[in-house]
Amino acid sequence: QTNTSRLSSAASDVYKRQDQDRAIVASTIALAHSLDLKVIAEGVEDDRIMKLLNELNCDYAQGYGISRPLTSDNLLQWIEQYH
């Protein structure tokens, strides 16, 4: 059983769009939470989008704005640097 829901990279691009698109993303996150799902936003490219997703209570995010893919050794260094 899966306990996560993913928002596509198109949804992560909501910062550049109209208020109606933001409402769709916000309601999608709220619906997932009402079903006890955690939400993962894909394709997060910059801090503005990350801030907006935080405001919308998105649980997790991934994308080049956070980090490019890393080897396991580089991942440990990344974790030490940012946490």
Side-chain angles (χ1 to χ4, degrees):
Q1 182 176 351
T2 302
N3 62 352
T4 60
S5 176
R6 291 183 175 261
L7 286 174
S8 73
S9 58
S12 295
D13 199 29
V14 71
Y15 190 90
K16 301 173 186 172
R17 298 195 204 170
Q18 302 295 323
D19 289 339
Q20 291 130 342
D21 291 327
R22 179 185 168 127
I24 290 169
V25 173
S27 64
T28 301
I29 292 170
L31 174 62
H33 288 162
S34 74
L35 297 170
D36 293 325
L37 300 174
K38 298 289 186 185
V39 180
I40 304 169
E42 299 177 333
V44 176
E45 298 294 328
D46 59 44
D47 291 337
R48 293 180 305 158
I49 294 170
M50 191 67 208
K51 181 180 177 188
L52 176 63
L53 291 168
N54 281 329
E55 290 171 8
L56 298 176
N57 297 314
C58 185
D59 301 293
Y60 305 104
Q62 64 185 47
Y64 288 160
I66 298 167
S67 176
R68 297 276 183 182
L70 302 169
T71 64
S72 58
D73 289 337
N74 289 342
L75 174 62
L76 293 175
Q77 292 173 353
W78 184 87
I79 291 170
E80 287 177 12
Q81 180 180 356
Y82 291 102
H83 296 285

